[in-house]
Every structure is written in structure tokens, then in C-alpha cells.
Amino acid sequence: MKKTRRIETMFEILRIVVAMGIAYILAMLVLFLISEEPLEAIRNFAMGPLSTKRRFSSMLELMIPFMFTGSCMCMMYSANRFNLVGEGVFLFSGCIITFMAFVLEPLGLSSIVFPAVLIAIGALTGGIIASVPAVAREKLEVNEVVVSIMMNYALLYLSNYVLRNFMLDTSITYSASFALPEASRLAGIWHGTRLHMGIFVAIGAVILSWLFLYHTPTGLSIRICGLNAEFSRYSGIHVVASCMIAQILGGALAGMGGAVQILGLYDRFQWDSLTQYGFDGLLVSVLAKRNPILVPVAAFLLAYLRIGADIVNYSTDVPAEFVSVLQAIIILLVAAQEFLGRYKSKAIFNAARKSMDKAPAKEAN
Amino acid sequence: MLETYWNVEWIGSFLFSVIRISTPLIFAALGACFTKKAGLLNMALESMMLVGALCGVLASAASQSLFLGFLGAVAGAVAIAGIICYCAFFLKTDLYLTSISINLAASGGTVFILYLVCGQKSTSAGILKSLTIPKLTIPLIEKIPVLGAAVSGHNVLTYVAFFCVFLVYFLLKKTRIGLRIKSVGENPHAAESVGISVRRIQTISFLISGVFCGCAGAFMSMGYVSWFARDMLAGRGFISMSATNISNASPFLSMLSAMMFGLSQAIANALQITSAPAELVSALPYIMTILLVMLFALIRIGRRRRKMAKLAGAIQEE
């Protein structure tokens, strides 16, 4: 049994490595075919993210939202719910906390308490919003994907409305809110880069969601619901409550992410389209196999791919969007049970036969 | 204020826009009927339509032939359906996950191809000389006051969409493949036991759904507007899927609920020129979709509960 499990884990890892490898080779191929200076493009794609301090730090910056939305999707995906509202929540919570920053500014909170309060507000917003598709799914049996995707569009327009009507700064040339109060912003931690305190908040969130999912009874029942809803109902787990908790906490994580992103990187709220971080979270959670503790690794891989594509985008003639196709290939190959499945069965079979061959020998001794 | 709206011409043109906006939704909802009847949710309608729209523009611009352009749109959408089936049924990925990731790939991939062809990432307007599918005026009906303005002068594909409602009804009700699709959806094990390959039937249902999405995509980029723009579907695939779900995959009811969503979009468009805040008006169709889906779910649950109560009563009487 132990051997079988070891072979399975090995193949899980192998599958991720092979999937990333295939995607990477495909990326090289695409770059080679369409770029006029393919070697330059490939070098930029592979080595670019690590080449300078600024690029490396921007990769770490990009990991922050990925870690939040990745652990958000780990929560939802652990309960086998494809609640994609994280996308809209990320944007809308950024909008709400900017608004709240102006409301709370007269209180004169210190530069530690103020961001903490705002991040908490972001989490609360996220939890409340995510509960809508969750209730629709658990109580009304409405497909959560539909409701959450529709909500993403509604939240986008709602946030545009709040921005244009309540906090638009007309003294600047682009469409953005008033400047955020200085005390509300997250401090930078690496001189000469934009990397900010948010990365610690993100790591904290990842660790907390791992502890919750893998070391508490509620987390266990959430995961059992995700693996087999019928079984969990039969064994007396409250499926509705568990799945609701998973989705609301997931929403809260995405909300925190939106708040941290705004407070760490921007001096004004200026998002006028969906950020795509919520959908990236799905990729991160699939790569991390629904386990939050692996989220930082997955977030790093994705950020590496993204920054590489961005560098290719502005240094050569290849648009960065080719990465989105690669991402789909990675998701599909990692999630494919049959991919390398034949080799896995063969390995398990061989191991089993070997141990069977050994057993009679022991008896004879 | 009201007088500018409540006249015959305005009502005619409003109804016209309802029908026009509903066309892609009807096509996609009909496509979703097949997969729903086969027991699966097709969440990739969005990407099938998007790829169809792009392929239509590219094929018609390259060949300067309307027929080839339309064929290209359908082929693109069917190819996406094929990829999804290959992943979900042969590589055994989760169907939801497959659809969602294909949607993401399509929204980025179309922009990528658009950039390679046109050199810019937002639209193909003014760069690609793609064709549009002609409009059709109906001789006699055209003369009737409100009806003529609403029904005549639509794109050919709009009439095809309404014709397809009957076609889908016929396909599902009277043909061998339709009956097989339904039997697979109702009880896959029973179907398997009489020698129907569930996987094959489900693949076929996805491919048919791809054909309809191709038509919807062709309408979007070669009729509704005459260009391709990034993310031009804006959630229409999911709206169509909700329409099919609400109506329990009956083609006629799917058409009606698709038109209901078309109506809310048309109202939003009409409000756009009033003083109502534009952002909130734009959110209206999406909010309406959520509310309608929930309302119908409530009705369904209420009906089931009454049925159960009745059954319980009957058992007690015995």
C-alpha cells in the first residue's frame, strides 16, 4: 500500500514537471516560429525574470496576488466548487477599501493599524460577496460558475460606478481615485524596488489556509465533501455548511488580496477592467494540487512564466497573450488523470508483483 | 419624456433590437440543449463562440467568400468542442475545469492571433476586410406597422436561429441520435447496457453544440458587428447556458428564456441614452441573469417540495 502511494506521489510530481516541460517547449516553438529574432526572445523568456534586480523583484510582487487568489481557489476547489467570484471580489474589494480609506482617514490611525483595518474590511467584503454564489449553489442548487461569472461583470460595473461617482480625482489626466492617505499604504521592504510588506501578509494567509484545510476538523470535512459529496452526506458531515464555509473563506482571501494589491503597489485606485488574478488563482490551485502549502511554489512558477512573457512582449515583437494558451495546456495536463496514466498503472503493477514474489520467499525462510 | 418612447416606431425598433440581441443567445442556448440532454453542462459555449467569431472574420477576410467565412466560424467552434472532448473524455480531466481553462485560453489566444494578423490587440475593425452576412427583408410583412419594423430586415442568421429551434426539436424528438443523446443523459448505465457508447454520444453532443456556437460566433462578428473585438462575447455564453438550464433544455423554452435575457440587454441599451448612470445600466443584464436563475430555482424547488408532500400524503393514506 505504502509503495503504491509513493508511486502515485511520484507520478503526480512527474506529471507537473512534464506538463511544465511540454508547455515550455511549446512556448519556445511559438517564439521560434513567429519572432524575427527568436534566440533573443527565447533568452529573454527563459532568463529574463532572473536577470536584473528589478525584474526579480517584480516577479516576487506578482507572486503576492497569485498567492492570495491561489489559496482562495484552493479553498473553493477543495470543496469541489468552481466559484470564480474571486475575480470580481479582487477588483471590488480594492475599490471598497480605497473608499473606506477616505472615510477612515480623519481618525488618524497609525501606519500599522490603518492598513490592517483596511485589509480586514477587504476580507469582509470578499466573504460577503462570495456568499451569494455559495448560497445559490448550496440552497437553490444553481450552478455556481454561472452566478459567479455574472457577478464578476456586475461587480466590475459597480466598481466603475463607485470610482466615477464617489472618488474620481478630476485634477489628473487619467481616470483614477484621489491619492490614498500615506498612512494607509503598505511599507516597501526592499530598497529600490516596489516589493512591499504584502508578501508577508500573503505568506501568512497561505499558512493559515493550509492549517485550516489540513489541520482542523472543518478543513477535513471540506476536503471530504470535495472528494465525495455522497459519502460525506452518508457519514454525517454537514455538506451545505462545509461548502459554504469554504467558499466564504475563499472569498475573504481574494478580498484580502485585492486590498493588499492596492495598498502595496498603487497610490490611487485605477482598475477599470477585471484584473484576471482570480482566474490565475485557479491555475495556481490546480498546480498546487489544492494544497495551500504548495501555493507559493505554484505562484512562483506562474509569476516566472508571466514576467518572462512580459519581457518578451516589450523587448521583442511577440504579444504576451501566448502565455494564456500555455496556461491552459498546463492546467489540462496536470489535471489529466490519464496523462502518463498507463505508465503509472504499469509501475504500480510491477511493484505489486515484486512484493508478491518476495512474500513466498520470506515464508520459505 | 415618455412620449419619445411610446410611439409605434420606437416600439418597432425596440422589438427589432430584442430579436437582434437574442440571436446569438438563441443559437448558443440551442447548442447547450444537446449537451444538457446528454447529461453534461457545456460551460465552454463562451470560448466556442469567441473562436467561431474570430475564425469567421479571418476566413472571410482571407477567402473573400461568405460561405467559406461561415464555414470557418463553424469549424473553429467545432475544433474547440473537439479539444474539450479529447481532454475530458480521453485524458480524463474534470469537465468543468477543462471548460474553464479552455475559456481562459480562448480569451487570450484570440487576442494573440488578432495581434499576429492585425498588429493590434483590441479589434480587427478597419484592418481586416472581412465580410458580413446580408440582411433579409420580408416582402409582405415589411409593410405591417409594428410587426414589420420588428421582424423584417434582420440578418439571415437571425431567421436561421428561429428555424433552428424547430430543427433542434425535431432532432431531439424524432431522430435516432437525438433519442440516444437523451437516453445517455437520463441514465448512462442503462444506455451503456444496451450497447450505446456513452462517451461517443457525449462527444457527438458537444460537437453539435459546437456547430451552433459557430453560427452564434459568425453572427457576432459578421452580422451583429462587422469586426472581431477582444472578449466581444462578454459573458453571453454563460447567459445562454443559464437560459438552457432554466428551461430544462427544451428548445422552445430555451428560445424564450434566451429572448428574456435579450430583452434585459435591450432595456439596458435603451436606458443608455437616458440620464440613468451608464455603469449601473451596463450591469443590469448580468444582475437580471442572476435574479432570473435564482427565481426559477426557487420555483423548481417549491414544485419539488409540493410533489414530495403530495407523495407523503398519498403514502399515509394507504
Side-chain angles (χ1 to χ4, degrees):
Chain A
M1 264 327 269
K2 225 174 194 176
K3 217 170 215 169
T4 311
R5 179 170 283 178
R6 205 165 63 211
I7 293 172
E8 275 182 345
T9 328
M10 203 183 77
F11 268 91
E12 294 278 291
I13 297 169
L14 187 66
R15 210 151 60 189
I16 294 177
V17 172
V18 173
M20 293 293 285
I22 290 178
Y24 222 78
I25 291 168
L26 271 175
M28 302 289 177
L29 211 67
V30 169
L31 291 177
F32 207 82
L33 287 178
I34 62 172
S35 176
E36 275 160 17
E37 31 190 346
L39 289 176
E40 177 68 14
I42 288 173
R43 203 179 58 83
N44 274 332
F45 184 59
M47 299 310 297
L50 307 173
S51 59
T52 67
K53 179 179 161 193
R54 238 189 75 208
R55 286 172 177 175
F56 185 70
S57 74
S58 61
M59 192 166 69
L60 295 182
E61 272 163 44
L62 194 56
M63 278 175 68
I64 298 171
F66 288 166
M67 280 197 272
F68 279 113
T69 55
S71 38
C72 154
M73 286 313 295
C74 278
M75 285 277 181
M76 312 228 182
Y77 193 24
S78 290
N80 210 15
R81 295 287 182 265
F82 289 94
N83 187 337
L84 299 170
V85 82
E87 181 63 58
V89 163
F90 196 89
L91 170 89
F92 193 67
S93 113
C95 171
I96 287 296
I97 63 112
T98 314
F99 182 73
M100 289 308 288
F102 300 133
V103 174
L104 298 177
E105 194 180 3
L107 296 182
L109 298 169
S110 76
S111 62
I112 296 168
V113 182
F114 203 176
V117 169
L118 288 177
I119 292 170
I121 292 173
L124 191 68
T125 319
I128 293 170
I129 294 172
S131 69
V132 176
V135 169
R137 169 63 206 245
E138 310 308 335
K139 292 283 178 195
L140 304 177
E141 295 163 36
V142 172
N143 186 299
E144 77 280 11
V145 180
V146 172
V147 176
S148 57
I149 297 255
M150 293 292 118
M151 279 185 71
N152 287 343
Y153 287 104
L155 287 170
L156 166 65
Y157 291 117
L158 203 60
S159 133
N160 282 352
Y161 175 75
V162 174
L163 172 63
R164 302 249 164 83
N165 288 284
F166 297 112
M167 50 196 197
L168 190 69
D169 188 352
T170 45
S171 66
I172 49 174
T173 49
Y174 55 103
S175 158
S177 73
F178 297 106
L180 279 162
E182 201 48 45
S184 72
R185 303 197 51 206
L186 288 165
I189 53 170
W190 190 3
H191 190 70
T193 69
R194 300 199 304 160
L195 194 66
H196 53 88
M197 294 291 287
I199 195 159
F200 299 125
V201 185
I203 291 171
V206 163
I207 291 172
L208 280 181
S209 34
W210 174 66
L211 286 177
F212 174 75
L213 270 181
Y214 284 80
H215 291 277
T216 63
T218 325
L220 180 66
S221 50
I222 288 172
R223 286 185 294 133
I224 293 175
C225 288
L227 290 175
N228 192 336
E230 292 301 314
F231 171 76
S232 46
R233 197 166 292 130
Y234 178 72
S235 56
I237 291 171
H238 202 317
V239 177
V240 172
S242 307
C243 293
M244 287 278 284
I245 292 172
Q247 293 176 67
I248 290 172
L249 286 179
L253 283 166
M256 280 171 75
V260 166
Q261 186 77 351
I262 284 289
L263 297 178
L265 286 182
Y266 296 84
D267 52 353
R268 301 159 186 275
F269 177 78
Q270 56 194 65
W271 293 335
D272 57 359
S273 61
L274 289 170
T275 54
Q276 298 296 327
Y277 291 130
F279 291 129
D280 295 334
L282 180 67
L283 172 61
V284 171
S285 70
V286 171
L287 273 181
K289 290 277 163 196
R290 314 180 189 193
N291 187 347
I293 208 69
L294 296 175
V295 158
V297 183
F300 177 81
L301 289 176
L302 185 60
Y304 180 70
L305 214 66
R306 274 295 166 75
I307 296 291
D310 272 349
I311 295 170
V312 169
N313 191 36
Y314 65 73
S315 63
T316 59
D317 45 355
V318 184
E321 274 79 6
F322 74 95
V323 170
S324 69
V325 180
L326 296 183
Q327 283 173 11
I329 294 172
I330 296 174
I331 294 189
L332 291 177
L333 290 181
V334 171
Q337 284 169 22
E338 286 296 303
F339 178 57
L340 301 179
R342 204 176 294 159
Y343 301 102
K344 186 172 91 176
S345 326
K346 211 177 253 173
I348 292 174
F349 180 75
N350 282 341
R353 190 155 70 183
K354 221 179 254 170
S355 68
M356 293 237 303
D357 286 346
K358 253 183 218 161
K362 245 182 221 165
E363 261 168 43
N365 284 342
Chain B
M1 179 75 185
L2 269 179
E3 277 152 22
T4 50
Y5 292 118
W6 287 110
N7 58 42
V8 174
E9 270 160 48
W10 187 83
I11 293 173
S13 69
F14 179 74
L15 292 176
F16 181 91
S17 75
V18 171
I19 292 175
R20 185 172 152 241
I21 293 167
S22 304
T23 304
L25 303 180
I26 293 173
F27 269 128
L30 290 177
C33 281
F34 286 94
T35 55
K36 174 86 177 157
K37 283 279 186 208
L40 300 172
L41 273 184
N42 184 355
M43 260 179 310
L45 292 172
E46 183 96 0
S47 52
M48 292 182 191
M49 284 154 83
L50 193 66
V51 171
L54 179 69
C55 290
V57 164
L58 293 181
S60 74
S63 66
Q64 288 300 316
S65 146
L66 204 54
F67 179 70
L68 285 180
F70 178 72
L71 224 57
V74 173
V78 171
I80 293 292
I83 294 173
I84 289 169
C85 290
Y86 177 73
C87 291
F89 304 145
F90 292 89
L91 291 178
K92 299 270 165 65
T93 49
D94 186 286
L95 182 64
Y96 277 21
L97 190 67
T98 314
S99 309
I100 294 168
S101 52
I102 293 285
N103 282 345
L104 293 179
S107 90
T110 48
V111 175
F112 177 61
I113 293 172
L114 187 69
Y115 180 81
L116 289 188
V117 177
C118 301
Q120 65 138 317
K121 291 183 183 179
S122 52
T123 93
S124 73
I127 300 168
L128 278 183
K129 289 204 167 41
S130 57
L131 307 176
T132 52
I133 292 164
K135 293 190 159 102
L136 199 70
T137 41
I138 311 175
L140 277 172
I141 296 175
E142 190 194 359
K143 301 268 162 54
I144 307 170
V146 177
L147 193 68
V151 171
S152 176
H154 280 287
N155 192 294
V156 173
L157 280 180
T158 304
Y159 301 109
V160 175
F162 284 94
F163 169 74
C164 279
V165 176
F166 296 95
L167 182 72
V168 170
Y169 177 80
F170 177 77
L171 276 176
L172 283 175
K173 207 82 191 201
K174 303 282 178 197
T175 62
R176 204 164 128 130
I177 184 72
L179 292 175
R180 289 201 167 169
I181 286 176
K182 278 204 286 197
S183 71
V184 164
E186 264 159 39
N187 193 335
H189 296 298
E192 192 96 61
S193 73
V194 294
I196 299 174
S197 161
V198 174
R199 204 155 71 171
R200 212 177 104 217
I201 295 294
Q202 287 177 337
T203 307
I204 291 173
S205 77
F206 256 88
L207 294 180
I208 297 177
S209 159
V211 172
F212 282 95
C213 289
C215 297
F219 176 81
M220 284 306 292
S221 64
M222 298 161 74
Y224 192 77
V225 292
S226 58
W227 58 80
F228 177 85
R230 70 181 300 167
D231 295 322
M232 69 189 298
L233 267 305
R236 282 184 176 81
F238 291 95
I239 293 179
S240 317
M241 194 186 111
S242 331
T244 305
N245 276 3
I246 285 175
S247 53
N248 212 7
S250 129
F252 289 103
L253 294 178
S254 296
M255 178 197 77
L256 283 182
S257 41
M259 289 185 76
M260 205 148 66
F261 293 116
L263 178 72
S264 70
Q265 178 80 56
I267 291 174
N269 288 357
L271 284 175
Q272 210 77 268
I273 46 172
T274 63
S275 55
E279 296 92 1
L280 294 187
V281 168
S282 308
L284 194 68
Y286 304 107
I287 294 172
M288 283 287 279
T289 306
I290 298 172
L291 292 181
L292 282 174
V293 169
M294 287 189 178
L295 180 73
F296 275 85
L298 273 177
I299 294 173
R300 194 176 60 225
I301 287 171
R303 199 183 285 156
R304 193 199 300 156
R305 208 166 274 164
R306 273 200 300 280
K307 209 170 169 184
M308 293 305 264
K310 218 182 208 172
L311 270 177
I315 290 168
Q316 258 174 7
E317 268 172 35
E318 270 178 25

